Each structure stands twice: as structure tokens, then as C-alpha cells.
Amino acid sequence: MLTSKDSFLHLLKAEIEEFYKISIPDYTEEKQIVYILSRHLLGIYEKKLYVNFLCGKVVDYKVFYYIFNKKLI
């Protein structure tokens, strides 16, 4: 039976996959995986998705925008 924490982590993974149309591994040893969502103007502008893992499960994600490889705040 799934606990509420497991259910929440599953929903978080499903949200990322549905919204960003990327496939998240079910289990990974990595602590963080970075996905490039878009790249425009020969790489001057990029949108990156950072997915954080704990014990192989998605626990957090953030989207950052970069111009000339500098993160916009």
C-alpha cells in the first residue's frame, strides 16, 4: 500500500512528465538531473529543468532561465 509520501512523490513525477513532456527514470542513483527544455538564438537563451532526487525518487524540481550562460534571477 502506498503511503501519502509515496503518493505525493508519484504525483510529482507524473506532473513533471505531463507538463514538460520528458521521461523521468523510475529509479536513479543521481542526486540531480538537468534537462534542457529549450534553446534559442544559437544557445544564447536557454531554459533548463533541474530535477532533484532523494533515494531514487523525485523530491523537487525547478526551472531556470539562462542568457549567455548566466542564470536570471
Side-chain angles (χ1 to χ4, degrees), residues 12-14 16-17 22-28 33 35 49 51 53 56-58:
L12 192 58
K13 179 183 177 221
I16 294 169
E17 289 178 342
I22 58 173
S23 178
I24 303 290
D26 289 332
Y27 181 79
T28 182
I33 296 178
Y35 297 95
L49 173 68
V51 181
F53 296 89
K57 301 285 186 180
V58 176

Side-chain angles (χ1 to χ4, degrees), residues 23-62:
S23 178
I24 303 290
D26 289 332
Y27 181 79
T28 182
E29 302 250 339
E30 301 290 328
K31 291 184 178 181
Q32 184 179 64
I33 296 178
V34 179
Y35 297 95
I36 297 176
L37 299 176
S38 65
R39 181 178 283 161
H40 298 287
L41 302 172
L42 300 172
I44 293 173
Y45 169 79
E46 290 183 331
K47 181 178 177 183
K48 295 181 182 179
L49 173 68
Y50 288 79
V51 181
N52 297 312
F53 296 89
L54 182 64
C55 297
K57 301 285 186 180
V58 176
V59 292
D60 186 29
Y61 72 95
K62 295 178 184 174

Side-chain angles (χ1 to χ4, degrees), residues 7-22:
S7 163
F8 174 75
L9 296 178
H10 177 70
L11 288 174
L12 192 58
K13 179 183 177 221
E15 176 183 335
I16 294 169
E17 289 178 342
E18 180 69 27
F19 190 74
Y20 295 107
K21 308 289 187 242
I22 58 173

